[in-house]
mmCIF file of all heavy atoms in Angstrom:
data_model
loop_
_atom_site.group_PDB
_atom_site.id
_atom_site.type_symbol
_atom_site.label_atom_id
_atom_site.label_comp_id
_atom_site.label_asym_id
_atom_site.label_seq_id
_atom_site.Cartn_x
_atom_site.Cartn_y
_atom_site.Cartn_z
ATOM 1 N N MET V 5 -124.957 -69.566 -129.617
ATOM 2 C CA MET V 5 -126.147 -69.348 -130.443
ATOM 3 C C MET V 5 -127.398 -69.356 -129.571
ATOM 4 O O MET V 5 -128.306 -68.544 -129.749
ATOM 5 C CB MET V 5 -126.241 -70.431 -131.517
ATOM 6 C CG MET V 5 -125.183 -70.304 -132.607
ATOM 7 S SD MET V 5 -125.304 -71.598 -133.858
ATOM 8 C CE MET V 5 -126.898 -71.187 -134.581
ATOM 9 N N PHE V 24 -146.056 -51.154 -125.907
ATOM 10 C CA PHE V 24 -147.395 -51.258 -125.323
ATOM 11 C C PHE V 24 -147.625 -50.138 -124.309
ATOM 12 O O PHE V 24 -148.688 -49.515 -124.273
ATOM 13 C CB PHE V 24 -147.578 -52.613 -124.643
ATOM 14 C CG PHE V 24 -148.900 -52.742 -123.927
ATOM 15 C CD1 PHE V 24 -150.070 -53.006 -124.632
ATOM 16 C CD2 PHE V 24 -148.970 -52.557 -122.551
ATOM 17 C CE1 PHE V 24 -151.279 -53.105 -123.975
ATOM 18 C CE2 PHE V 24 -150.183 -52.655 -121.891
ATOM 19 C CZ PHE V 24 -151.344 -52.933 -122.606
ATOM 20 N N TRP V 27 -148.165 -46.893 -126.128
ATOM 21 C CA TRP V 27 -149.516 -46.875 -126.720
ATOM 22 C C TRP V 27 -150.565 -46.627 -125.655
ATOM 23 O O TRP V 27 -151.494 -45.840 -125.844
ATOM 24 C CB TRP V 27 -149.776 -48.207 -127.415
ATOM 25 C CG TRP V 27 -151.198 -48.343 -127.910
ATOM 26 C CD1 TRP V 27 -151.713 -47.862 -129.066
ATOM 27 C CD2 TRP V 27 -152.276 -49.009 -127.239
ATOM 28 N NE1 TRP V 27 -153.049 -48.166 -129.163
ATOM 29 C CE2 TRP V 27 -153.423 -48.872 -128.071
ATOM 30 C CE3 TRP V 27 -152.388 -49.705 -126.037
ATOM 31 C CZ2 TRP V 27 -154.655 -49.403 -127.720
ATOM 32 C CZ3 TRP V 27 -153.620 -50.228 -125.689
ATOM 33 C CH2 TRP V 27 -154.733 -50.082 -126.523
ATOM 34 N N GLN V 32 -154.517 -43.024 -123.063
ATOM 35 C CA GLN V 32 -154.973 -42.354 -121.844
ATOM 36 C C GLN V 32 -154.960 -40.844 -122.024
ATOM 37 O O GLN V 32 -155.850 -40.131 -121.565
ATOM 38 C CB GLN V 32 -154.071 -42.729 -120.665
ATOM 39 C CG GLN V 32 -154.253 -44.153 -120.180
ATOM 40 C CD GLN V 32 -155.628 -44.360 -119.569
ATOM 41 O OE1 GLN V 32 -156.515 -44.887 -120.213
ATOM 42 N NE2 GLN V 32 -155.797 -43.936 -118.344
ATOM 43 N N THR V 59 -160.026 -11.121 -120.777
ATOM 44 C CA THR V 59 -160.996 -11.767 -119.891
ATOM 45 C C THR V 59 -160.399 -11.912 -118.502
ATOM 46 O O THR V 59 -159.191 -12.143 -118.354
ATOM 47 C CB THR V 59 -161.401 -13.156 -120.425
ATOM 48 O OG1 THR V 59 -160.285 -14.057 -120.339
ATOM 49 C CG2 THR V 59 -161.876 -13.075 -121.875
ATOM 50 N N PRO V 71 -160.100 -2.409 -107.768
ATOM 51 C CA PRO V 71 -159.014 -1.630 -108.384
ATOM 52 C C PRO V 71 -158.831 -1.926 -109.866
ATOM 53 O O PRO V 71 -158.498 -1.021 -110.644
ATOM 54 C CB PRO V 71 -157.780 -2.061 -107.579
ATOM 55 C CG PRO V 71 -158.320 -2.495 -106.263
ATOM 56 C CD PRO V 71 -159.626 -3.143 -106.578
ATOM 57 N N SER V 91 -170.653 -18.522 -106.434
ATOM 58 C CA SER V 91 -170.471 -18.319 -104.991
ATOM 59 C C SER V 91 -169.816 -16.977 -104.707
ATOM 60 O O SER V 91 -170.175 -16.289 -103.743
ATOM 61 C CB SER V 91 -169.642 -19.459 -104.400
ATOM 62 O OG SER V 91 -168.366 -19.528 -105.016
ATOM 63 N N GLY V 107 -170.563 -1.705 -118.148
ATOM 64 C CA GLY V 107 -170.862 -2.249 -119.468
ATOM 65 C C GLY V 107 -170.044 -3.455 -119.863
ATOM 66 O O GLY V 107 -170.018 -3.846 -121.041
ATOM 67 N N TYR V 108 -169.383 -4.077 -118.890
ATOM 68 C CA TYR V 108 -168.576 -5.249 -119.208
ATOM 69 C C TYR V 108 -169.444 -6.492 -119.247
ATOM 70 O O TYR V 108 -170.468 -6.590 -118.571
ATOM 71 C CB TYR V 108 -167.452 -5.410 -118.184
ATOM 72 C CG TYR V 108 -166.503 -4.245 -118.154
ATOM 73 C CD1 TYR V 108 -166.230 -3.578 -116.966
ATOM 74 C CD2 TYR V 108 -165.888 -3.791 -119.324
ATOM 75 C CE1 TYR V 108 -165.358 -2.485 -116.938
ATOM 76 C CE2 TYR V 108 -165.022 -2.709 -119.307
ATOM 77 C CZ TYR V 108 -164.770 -2.055 -118.117
ATOM 78 O OH TYR V 108 -163.924 -0.975 -118.099
ATOM 79 N N GLU V 109 -169.011 -7.429 -120.031
ATOM 80 C CA GLU V 109 -169.746 -8.677 -120.200
ATOM 81 C C GLU V 109 -169.472 -9.624 -119.032
ATOM 82 O O GLU V 109 -168.348 -9.701 -118.531
ATOM 83 C CB GLU V 109 -169.327 -9.339 -121.512
ATOM 84 C CG GLU V 109 -170.028 -10.644 -121.818
ATOM 85 C CD GLU V 109 -169.659 -11.188 -123.176
ATOM 86 O OE1 GLU V 109 -168.451 -11.141 -123.529
ATOM 87 O OE2 GLU V 109 -170.553 -11.656 -123.894
ATOM 88 N N LEU V 123 -165.311 -34.324 -112.115
ATOM 89 C CA LEU V 123 -166.682 -34.507 -111.654
ATOM 90 C C LEU V 123 -167.483 -35.420 -112.579
ATOM 91 O O LEU V 123 -167.194 -35.525 -113.775
ATOM 92 C CB LEU V 123 -167.402 -33.154 -111.558
ATOM 93 C CG LEU V 123 -166.795 -32.092 -110.639
ATOM 94 C CD1 LEU V 123 -167.680 -30.845 -110.632
ATOM 95 C CD2 LEU V 123 -166.605 -32.620 -109.232
ATOM 96 N N LEU V 150 -169.697 -19.698 -120.812
ATOM 97 C CA LEU V 150 -169.291 -20.522 -119.678
ATOM 98 C C LEU V 150 -167.817 -20.866 -119.824
ATOM 99 O O LEU V 150 -167.362 -21.242 -120.913
ATOM 100 C CB LEU V 150 -170.119 -21.812 -119.639
ATOM 101 C CG LEU V 150 -169.691 -22.883 -118.630
ATOM 102 C CD1 LEU V 150 -169.948 -22.408 -117.203
ATOM 103 C CD2 LEU V 150 -170.453 -24.194 -118.889
ATOM 104 N N LEU V 162 -168.765 -29.879 -123.072
ATOM 105 C CA LEU V 162 -169.260 -29.263 -124.295
ATOM 106 C C LEU V 162 -170.708 -29.665 -124.557
ATOM 107 O O LEU V 162 -171.546 -28.838 -124.928
ATOM 108 C CB LEU V 162 -168.384 -29.664 -125.486
ATOM 109 C CG LEU V 162 -166.899 -29.290 -125.406
ATOM 110 C CD1 LEU V 162 -166.184 -29.691 -126.683
ATOM 111 C CD2 LEU V 162 -166.717 -27.811 -125.123
ATOM 112 N N PHE V 168 -177.547 -26.451 -121.866
ATOM 113 C CA PHE V 168 -177.883 -25.261 -121.087
ATOM 114 C C PHE V 168 -177.972 -24.009 -121.968
ATOM 115 O O PHE V 168 -178.475 -22.975 -121.531
ATOM 116 C CB PHE V 168 -176.827 -25.019 -120.005
ATOM 117 C CG PHE V 168 -177.056 -25.785 -118.738
ATOM 118 C CD1 PHE V 168 -176.359 -26.959 -118.488
ATOM 119 C CD2 PHE V 168 -177.957 -25.328 -117.781
ATOM 120 C CE1 PHE V 168 -176.553 -27.674 -117.302
ATOM 121 C CE2 PHE V 168 -178.155 -26.024 -116.594
ATOM 122 C CZ PHE V 168 -177.459 -27.208 -116.355
ATOM 123 N N ALA V 197 -149.839 -11.590 -127.830
ATOM 124 C CA ALA V 197 -151.167 -11.569 -128.441
ATOM 125 C C ALA V 197 -151.155 -10.931 -129.819
ATOM 126 O O ALA V 197 -150.442 -9.957 -130.070
ATOM 127 C CB ALA V 197 -152.147 -10.838 -127.530
ATOM 128 N N ASN V 215 -153.187 -5.899 -111.559
ATOM 129 C CA ASN V 215 -153.585 -4.500 -111.703
ATOM 130 C C ASN V 215 -152.391 -3.609 -112.041
ATOM 131 O O ASN V 215 -152.515 -2.669 -112.834
ATOM 132 C CB ASN V 215 -154.269 -4.013 -110.429
ATOM 133 C CG ASN V 215 -154.951 -2.674 -110.632
ATOM 134 O OD1 ASN V 215 -155.620 -2.465 -111.640
ATOM 135 N ND2 ASN V 215 -154.794 -1.771 -109.678
ATOM 136 N N ARG V 226 -152.283 -1.892 -127.599
ATOM 137 C CA ARG V 226 -152.705 -0.761 -128.436
ATOM 138 C C ARG V 226 -151.638 -0.404 -129.457
ATOM 139 O O ARG V 226 -151.953 0.042 -130.561
ATOM 140 C CB ARG V 226 -153.026 0.446 -127.556
ATOM 141 C CG ARG V 226 -154.410 0.370 -126.920
ATOM 142 C CD ARG V 226 -154.668 1.535 -125.992
ATOM 143 N NE ARG V 226 -156.083 1.598 -125.608
ATOM 144 C CZ ARG V 226 -156.533 2.169 -124.510
ATOM 145 N NH1 ARG V 226 -155.676 2.719 -123.645
ATOM 146 N NH2 ARG V 226 -157.825 2.192 -124.242
#
Side-chain angles (χ1 to χ4, degrees):
M5 289 180 65
F24 175 79
W27 173 83
Q32 288 293 100
T59 68
S91 60
Y108 299 126
E109 181 175 43
L123 301 182
L150 172 68
L162 301 183
F168 275 100
N215 192 44
R226 280 177 168 156

